[in-house]
Amino acid sequence: MKFINLLYTVAQVALISALLWICNLVVAHLGLPVPGSVLGLGILALLLISGAIPEKWIAIGAAWLMADMLLFFIPPVVAVLKYRTLLAPCGLGLIAILIIGTATVMIGTAWVVDRVFVLEHRRYQEKENA
Amino acid sequence: MRDLMWPVASLVGTTILYYLCKGHYKRTRQFWCTPLLAAPVIVVALVVVLHIPLPAYFEYTHWLVALLGPATIAFALPIYRQRHMIARYPLTIIAGVVTGLILGLVSNWGYARLFHIPGDIALSLLPRSVSTPFAIQVSAKLGGMPDVTALMVVLTGVIGMLVCEPVYRVTRVKSAHARGAGLGSASHGAGTAKAHELGAQEGVIASLTMIFTGISMVLVAPLLSRLFM
């Protein structure tokens, strides 16, 4: 059973990679301002929503790609060893920015959404009751 | 033969270490073991201690990085599965995405100026609150260093998981949707994982906000590059 799952994962990741390859060609050919991966995301979402392809064709592969995405960016983090002399002098400043900046975005977004959601939820319920 | 030793060991070692960290974290749930933090730290330490030449390390591991492209496309699946949620609360999601996008760009740029961060590092900071595959694309487009951006994205994820509970307690954010949107827009995948721990609603909103913020940032990147260059 596990082996079958592995086969499905490999095949579906290959299918998604093929879509990426085609999208990269299209982007290069037409000189589009979006990366092939984002074009591919849009196309796959449309294919799924329109029912052109069933979810099970890609679900296992897509789930693996998302669940283990952390593995894919370990090498870029290692690459930072190349920049240590560049980053070291502003290390403390960077840490401060990361903490304050993350809190700023989190608080700001949550504050706005708190208000918008109340309005939209009320509107939705009115529509339901009407 | 000797030439292949480090490249093969790097690819196999990175992969095995990642899955070991992940398995260990699943069993213990200790914060410092999260594969987001522990796996890169251990790999970097090994590369330094064993004197693995960086070009040899990247010879095969760049195939792992190449999977970020297909991983971006995979985000179509949660969009498809949550299409009813998107149809029901479009304004909530748009509000989260737009606020997160603007606040992320403006706050990073402002704080970078405030702390006198050199220009190319500041540019690498700009897209750090969106998911790695998007952030790397944006960083390259803006003239930043994608590798540095990847590190900043990882650190942002860790910080987001750490600060969210105190931040939400102090600011009295109550609704599940707001908590999810804040986590998704400020700390991408790690924030989304944390949001799933807070609740199902939080998790769904966080993942949608994260994905759409990432997409929007990639879409506005060409405009931004004209602004900053």
Side-chain angles (χ1 to χ4, degrees):
Chain A
M1 192 61 213
K2 269 212 144 162
F3 182 68
I4 297 261
N5 256 335
L6 184 69
L7 279 185
Y8 273 124
T9 308
V10 172
Q12 297 188 352
V13 169
L15 192 65
I16 295 173
S17 304
L19 175 62
L20 174 64
W21 181 72
I22 295 169
C23 289
N24 279 336
L25 283 183
V26 171
V27 165
H29 214 74
L30 301 179
L32 299 178
V34 283
S37 54
V38 172
L39 178 67
L41 197 178
I43 290 175
L44 183 58
L46 287 179
L47 286 174
L48 287 169
I49 291 170
S50 67
I53 69 165
E55 187 184 338
K56 62 174 188 204
W57 279 18
I58 52 97
I60 297 175
W64 176 74
L65 283 167
M66 286 184 287
D68 283 333
M69 200 185 292
L70 287 177
L71 171 63
F72 313 148
F73 52 87
I74 294 176
V77 174
V78 175
V80 170
L81 286 171
K82 283 188 280 194
Y83 303 101
R84 36 185 169 183
T85 46
L86 189 75
L87 292 174
C90 39
L92 275 181
L94 282 175
I95 301 280
I97 294 176
L98 290 176
I99 297 174
I100 310 171
T102 305
T104 307
V105 178
M106 198 179 280
I107 296 169
T109 309
W111 190 86
V112 171
V113 171
D114 232 354
R115 271 131 201 92
V116 173
F117 175 70
V118 171
L119 288 177
E120 187 162 47
H121 191 61
R122 198 182 301 151
R123 210 190 56 172
Y124 177 77
Q125 281 180 328
E126 277 165 13
K127 213 167 25 177
E128 287 276 277
N129 295 335
Chain B
M1 193 57 212
R2 171 128 192 104
D3 301 340
L4 279 178
M5 190 187 81
W6 281 134
V8 172
S10 300
L11 177 62
V12 175
T14 303
T15 311
I16 290 179
L17 265 169
Y18 166 76
Y19 280 108
L20 282 179
C21 286
K22 192 176 165 181
H24 184 69
Y25 179 68
K26 254 190 189 151
R27 267 177 282 122
T28 61
R29 289 279 157 201
Q30 275 164 312
F31 174 76
W32 53 271
C33 306
T34 158
L36 179 62
L37 197 62
V41 167
I42 298 173
V43 172
V44 169
L46 283 177
V47 169
V48 173
V49 171
L50 299 176
H51 297 288
I52 302 177
L54 287 181
Y57 179 82
F58 295 116
E59 190 162 343
Y60 289 141
T61 52
H62 80 266
W63 289 108
L64 292 176
V65 190
L67 282 170
L68 283 171
T72 312
I73 296 185
F75 283 132
L77 185 64
I79 293 180
Y80 167 72
R81 287 188 174 158
Q82 300 301 333
R83 59 196 184 283
H84 303 298
M85 184 70 118
I86 300 172
R88 186 187 287 192
Y89 296 117
L91 284 181
T92 303
I93 292 164
I94 292 172
V97 169
V98 172
T99 317
L101 185 70
I102 295 175
L103 265 183
L105 291 168
V106 172
S107 75
N108 279 315
W109 188 245
Y111 292 139
R113 297 302 286 273
L114 197 69
F115 286 91
H116 304 292
I117 301 296
D120 47 351
I121 301 179
L123 286 175
S124 313
L125 267 176
L126 284 186
R128 73 179 171 90
S129 47
V130 300
S131 189
T132 310
F134 301 113
I136 286 180
Q137 296 275 4
V138 175
S139 180
K141 198 110 204 168
L142 295 181
M145 298 167 282
D147 295 335
V148 174
T149 301
L151 174 72
M152 298 302 157
V153 173
V154 168
L155 292 174
T156 300
V158 176
I159 291 168
M161 290 174 90
L162 278 177
V163 302
C164 76
E165 274 163 313
V167 157
Y168 286 160
R169 214 173 302 133
V170 172
T171 53
R172 296 187 190 168
V173 174
K174 291 257 159 49
S175 83
H177 294 74
R179 288 161 173 259
L183 274 165
S185 73
S187 53
H188 55 89
T192 301
K194 181 77 200 175
H196 276 292
E197 284 176 25
L198 297 180
Q201 286 272 332
E202 282 92 335
V204 170
I205 293 288
S207 70
L208 290 175
T209 310
M210 164 188 86
I211 296 167
F212 286 118
T213 311
I215 297 173
S216 331
M217 197 169 283
V218 172
L219 294 181
V220 300
L223 290 174
L224 287 174
S225 70
R226 249 179 257 166
L227 212 68
F228 287 106
M229 282 156 91

